[in-house]
Amino acid sequence: MKTQERYDKIIDWFSNNMPVAETELHYETTFQLLIAVILSAQCTDKRVNMITPKLFEAYPEPETLAAASPEAVFEYIKSVSYPNNKAKHLVGMAKMLIEEFNGEVPSDINLLQKLPGVGRKTANVIAAVAYNKEAMPVDTHVFRVSNRIGLTNNSKTPLETEKVLVKHIPGPLLPIAHHWLILHGRYVCRARKPDCLNCGISAWCKYYERASKQR
């Protein structure tokens, strides 16, 4: 099967069977989404959703967060991974939003990456989810699933994976395709034990093809 044919079949299946796919992070504003995505680095969305309600209540806008100390923010987020660094990043991010972006979260990926705690993946998430831009965030699920099912050919880095996915997936579908791959990796194509028997795209999956030949 040619690479583009694999993409077309998988995209068609997801389009028909998962027409609505969204982030599982809870948020109401782009600012809240940015906070949640920063907190979600190497942490589960479930854990982030447990602590953000009180955090958002205490710091509803960049001004209140910028005025806080990292020590105060730490108390709200201490159950997530790397809370000390993330507390510093959140306060620094809020200060930069005020000082350089008039308190507004930018939509440009390069500008977003200037913010403390914001790497390319986080910037792509904000661009895709908040602004519906043609961006492909690559987290651990997207990276792993893309390699496993054959959308990429043993890509070594998230950036390499991103470039391949952007090349083959139609631009307008990139924001939702990001969620297709995340949710598929989270609930079906799990890292340790993929549920191939209940997978809707196994017919076009390289991993399943190899596994079937070994039986």
Side-chain angles (χ1 to χ4, degrees):
M1 178 180 292
K2 293 183 178 180
T3 299
Q4 191 58 55
E5 182 182 1
R6 189 187 310 278
Y7 271 89
D8 292 342
K9 294 289 187 181
I10 290 174
I11 289 171
D12 184 65
W13 187 88
F14 277 120
S15 296
N16 288 308
N17 292 276
M18 200 184 293
V20 177
E22 302 172 332
T23 179
E24 293 186 314
L25 291 170
H26 298 165
Y27 71 98
E28 293 182 359
T29 67
T30 303
F31 176 62
Q32 289 183 353
L33 175 64
L34 178 55
I35 291 175
V37 178
I38 290 173
L39 290 174
S40 71
Q42 300 183 55
C43 187
T44 65
D45 288 359
K46 182 178 180 180
R47 168 57 56 183
V48 172
N49 289 336
M50 290 172 64
I51 62 100
T52 48
K54 290 184 178 180
L55 180 67
F56 293 160
E57 182 180 0
Y59 308 111
E61 68 279 312
E63 289 77 10
T64 51
L65 183 56
S69 67
E71 292 76 18
V73 174
F74 172 87
E75 293 302 317
Y76 291 92
I77 69 169
K78 56 188 176 183
S79 65
V80 304
S81 58
Y82 308 106
N84 284 300
N85 285 337
K86 289 178 179 178
K88 294 175 184 176
H89 288 156
L90 291 179
V91 174
M93 173 271 290
K95 289 180 178 179
M96 185 173 286
L97 285 182
I98 295 170
E99 294 169 359
E100 298 192 22
F101 302 106
N102 296 315
E104 299 294 327
V105 178
S107 62
D108 182 87
I109 290 172
N110 292 321
L111 293 179
L112 282 162
Q113 289 183 83
K114 292 184 177 181
L115 297 168
V118 177
R120 185 171 184 85
K121 188 269 290 187
T122 297
N124 275 326
V125 170
I126 300 303
V129 176
Y131 297 108
N132 200 37
K133 286 199 165 189
E134 296 182 359
M136 171 53 71
V138 177
D139 70 348
T140 55
H141 292 299
V142 174
F143 182 77
R144 172 175 51 78
V145 170
S146 298
N147 271 324
R148 177 182 275 171
I149 67 179
L151 295 182
T152 56
N153 187 21
N154 295 319
S155 295
K156 298 299 189 294
T157 66
L159 181 57
E160 186 179 341
T161 295
E162 178 188 335
K163 289 180 178 179
V164 175
L165 294 175
V166 168
K167 178 182 177 181
H168 292 283
I169 298 174
L173 289 179
L174 286 172
I176 192 171
H178 154 66
H179 295 304
W180 286 338
L181 293 171
I182 284 180
L183 296 173
H184 190 66
R186 187 171 289 165
Y187 298 110
V188 180
C189 194
R190 298 183 293 267
R192 294 185 179 180
K193 192 176 181 181
D195 188 7
C196 296
L197 295 180
N198 292 305
C199 175
I201 63 172
S202 59
W204 314 290
C205 173
K206 275 191 174 183
Y207 175 87
Y208 184 73
E209 181 182 353
R210 290 193 300 268
S212 297
K213 289 180 180 179
Q214 294 172 0
R215 293 193 185 110

